[in-house]
């Protein structure tokens, strides 16, 4: 099993920035992809960004040019730098991993609220 602990959410004004962090523990040797999903009020959970062990990155169209995902394999961590935040980015952000065995693991979520 993989355990994930997120941090870094909070309240920020429109145009501001936040950095989310997620640290994995447990069966970390099997992790291939690390990344972030989000679920806004009344919306379905959607992929924000992810990165595989080779550095291949995917972004949702809505965050391209504003968000940056990165990974530190030595620390078993994945980060999400979020810039130019707007109210539509308000959501519960979940860290996730996808293993070589096809197992997806989730963090508990961290709330990001963009409001003036």
């Amino acid at each position: 099993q993989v355990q994930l602990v997120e941090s870094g959410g909070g309240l920020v004004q429109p145009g501001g920035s936040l950095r989310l962090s997620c640290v994995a523990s447990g069966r970390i040797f099997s992790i291939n992809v690390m990344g972030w999903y989000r679920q806004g009020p009344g919306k379905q959970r959607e992929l924000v960004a992810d990165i595989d062990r080779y550095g291949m990155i995917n972004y949702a169209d809505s965050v391209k040019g504003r968000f940056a995902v990165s990974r530190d394999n030595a620390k078993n961590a994945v980060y999400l730098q979020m810039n130019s935040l707007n109210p539509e980015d308000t959501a519960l952000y979940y860290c996730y991993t996808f293993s070589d065995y096809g197992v997806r693991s989730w963090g508990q979520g961290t709330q990001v609220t963009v409001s003036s």
Side-chain angles (χ1 to χ4, degrees), residues 7 12 16 23 27 36 39-40 49 54 58 65 67 78 88 102 108:
S7 60
V12 63
V23 178
R27 293 173 65 92
W36 298 89
Q39 188 165 14
Y54 305 110
N58 293 304
F67 290 12
V78 62
E88 289 70 41
Q108 79 284 359

Side-chain angles (χ1 to χ4, degrees), residues 11-52:
L11 173 64
V12 63
Q13 291 186 342
S17 298
L18 281 175
R19 185 176 189 247
L20 305 183
S21 300
C22 174
V23 178
S25 60
R27 293 173 65 92
I28 57 175
F29 63 90
S30 67
I31 295 174
N32 180 5
V33 181
M34 302 184 78
W36 298 89
Y37 274 71
R38 69 184 180 185
Q39 188 165 14
K43 298 180 181 179
Q44 291 188 328
R45 191 175 295 192
E46 63 174 356
L47 176 68
V48 177
D50 60 22
I51 178 170
D52 71 10

Side-chain angles (χ1 to χ4, degrees), residues 31-104:
I31 295 174
N32 180 5
V33 181
M34 302 184 78
W36 298 89
Y37 274 71
R38 69 184 180 185
Q39 188 165 14
K43 298 180 181 179
Q44 291 188 328
R45 191 175 295 192
E46 63 174 356
L47 176 68
V48 177
D50 60 22
I51 178 170
D52 71 10
R53 59 162 59 97
Y54 305 110
M56 183 72 70
I57 292 175
N58 293 304
Y59 288 109
D61 287 343
S62 59
V63 306
K64 285 180 180 177
R66 300 188 298 123
F67 290 12
V69 64
S70 60
R71 178 171 176 169
D72 186 336
N73 291 324
K75 296 181 178 180
N76 305 312
V78 62
Y79 308 98
L80 185 68
Q81 178 66 44
M82 304 185 294
N83 300 323
S84 301
L85 286 160
N86 59 62
E88 289 70 41
D89 297 314
T90 294
L92 192 59
Y93 284 70
Y94 296 92
C95 177
Y96 92 102
T97 62
F98 191 75
S99 78
D100 293 327
Y101 307 108
V103 176
R104 192 180 298 261

